[in-house]
Structures are given as structure tokens and as C-alpha cells.
Amino acid sequence: MRTLLRLCIVVVMACAPAFAPSAAFAASGPQVLVLTTGAEARDVADYAVERLQMEARRWNFTLTEGEPADLEDLGEVDVVVFVNTGADILDQSQEASLQSFITRGGGFVATNAAALSEPDWNFYGELIGATALTPPQEPATDQDVSFNSGSPITDGLDEDLTLNERWYFFDPEPVQPDSTILAQLGSGDPVAWSSEDHRAFYASPGGEGKTWGDRDFLQLIRQAIWWAAGEEGVLLQNSDDAAPEWPYTWTFAFFVVAVAGGGSIAVWRLDKDETRREEEAEAAQSAGT
């Protein structure tokens, strides 16, 4: 009986994380729809989404990867993100839905080639706030990016960032008062800005995988998402560990089996030793009488 009780305790302790509230599932922050449709470098786009999913789990927003058709129903969405999207990805109905969403106060974040996604749609050009010259500069080069203070999007980004990119240049460039320049190259060319008319943000980096692995760049994008969602509170981190939730990994299952198995052996040995000591005590008591 003691063995069964101890074994049950071991199993319950091993499985306890399964019943603890998960920060990822408890997230109540912005709902974000991300599109990578038509991205030239599929591996970079996939890695970008993977990194953004980690940011979502860690920083309390929910990110869903979608397609242009999903733009026709944005009722539950707070921010739409275009990650390196290709050209002419939206039909007229999708354009109308996205425009309505943004004019009602919805957020929009775009990176890299997304500046060229809708060249014939005037509203999109106004949303981006600049016209990219095509193609981007070849080959990719290292450039120092400096950030401007005074915006929640650049809060905490106090040091220059060196990125290796095929850089886009713009003509016309974003200008005040329609846009707020948030980051620029050493040459002064802008590389990130926000709109003064809409909750819209654009960053020209993001075409290279290493850029999405840079913590400062990810901070810029997540703070842009938070700002675009209309959130005014401070970003709160859910957990130091942004690994995928345990139900979706075999690691947790192996952990439970290992702990339960090891605990069972320990319990069996403990019970065996205790039984032996009781038998020896009873034998000694019988010998004494």
C-alpha cells in the first residue's frame, strides 16, 4: 500500500507542469495575423515567422500565420504583419478589407520587400510612406543602424546595430510630418519609420536570416507590433524560456517517463529497505522475548 501511495506521488509530481497555467495559453495580448505570401526567400520568411512565434509566446501576444484570403475577415485581429511579401498579392476585395481595417484603427507592420507588395494601390503607398527603388542594392553589405529615441518602438534600443542586408533605398523617402523616422544608416538613409496618420510601421531590413536572429531587431519588431496594436502599457515578459509549449514536444514526454521510472525504482528500493528493517526489528523483538 505504501509503495502504491509513493508511486502515485512521484507520478503527480512529474506531471505537475501539465496542470500549471501556461503563459502561452494565458496570453491576452494583441492578436496578430502575419503574411509571407510571395516571399522571395522562403527559408528566411519561415525563419522569421518561427522567431516571431517565439516572441509572441514570450511577450504576450498571439501570432497566426495566414494567407491573403484571411484579410477579408479581420474582426478578431489587432495587427496585420507583412513579412517580406511579394508583389501584387492582394485582390480588390482584400485591399478594401485591409484599408477598412487600417482606417478603423487597426495596426500594420511590414518588413523588407513588403514595401513593393502593392505598387498600383495608392492607399498602400501612403501606408508605407515612401517608394522603394528596385531592385535592392547588391551585394549584401554590413551597415550600422542607429535608432532615434522618443518612440515606444525604439525604447531600449540605445546602441547601434550592425546588419548584413541587401539594402533598399527610397525615392521619395519618408519625411516629417507624415512619417517619424525611427532608424537610419550612417549615410542618413532611413531604414525604419512609423506613420503619423495610421498605426503603421515599416522596416527595410529583414531580407536575411541573420537579421531575424538578432535580438535588437526582434525587439524593434515586437515593440512595433505592440505599438501598432494600440497598446500603451509596458511589454511584460511571460517567461525566460520561449521554447514551444510542452504538449507539442516529445522532450516533455520523455522527461515524465524518466522521472516516473526513476522515481518508481527509488520508491521500490525505499519500500524494500523499510520492509527489511521492520522484519529485523520484529526478529530482534522475538529473540529478546
Side-chain angles (χ1 to χ4, degrees), residues 40-45 48 83-84 111-113 136 140 163-168 202-212 217:
E40 179 182 6
R42 189 70 254 166
D43 57 335
V44 174
V83 172
N84 308 1
T111 64
N112 199 250
L163 296 176
N164 182 272
E165 286 277 342
R166 296 183 302 152
W167 297 97
Y168 281 97
Y202 172 77
S204 64
E208 302 294 326
K210 286 185 178 180
T211 297
W212 290 99
F217 180 75

Side-chain angles (χ1 to χ4, degrees), residues 4-5 15 19 34 43 47 68 71 98 122 140 150 157 174 181 183-184 187 195 208 216 226 254 260 273 282 286-287:
L4 179 60
L5 178 60
C15 295
F19 303 100
V34 59
D43 57 335
Y47 181 57
L71 296 176
L98 180 59
N122 290 337
L157 296 170
I181 308 302
Q184 58 274 319
S187 61
S195 170
E208 302 294 326
D216 286 344
W226 197 254
F254 289 140
D273 290 343
E282 290 176 358
S286 298

Side-chain angles (χ1 to χ4, degrees), residues 171-226:
D171 186 16
E173 293 184 341
V175 294
Q176 299 279 17
D178 297 326
S179 301
T180 298
I181 308 302
L182 301 173
Q184 58 274 319
L185 302 179
S187 61
D189 290 290
V191 294
W193 57 88
S194 60
S195 170
E196 289 297 311
D197 296 324
H198 306 289
R199 286 198 169 272
F201 166 89
Y202 172 77
S204 64
E208 302 294 326
K210 286 185 178 180
T211 297
W212 290 99
D214 187 279
R215 290 188 298 177
D216 286 344
F217 180 75
L218 286 173
Q219 181 176 343
L220 176 72
I221 300 302
R222 73 166 176 261
Q223 290 178 173
I225 290 173
W226 197 254

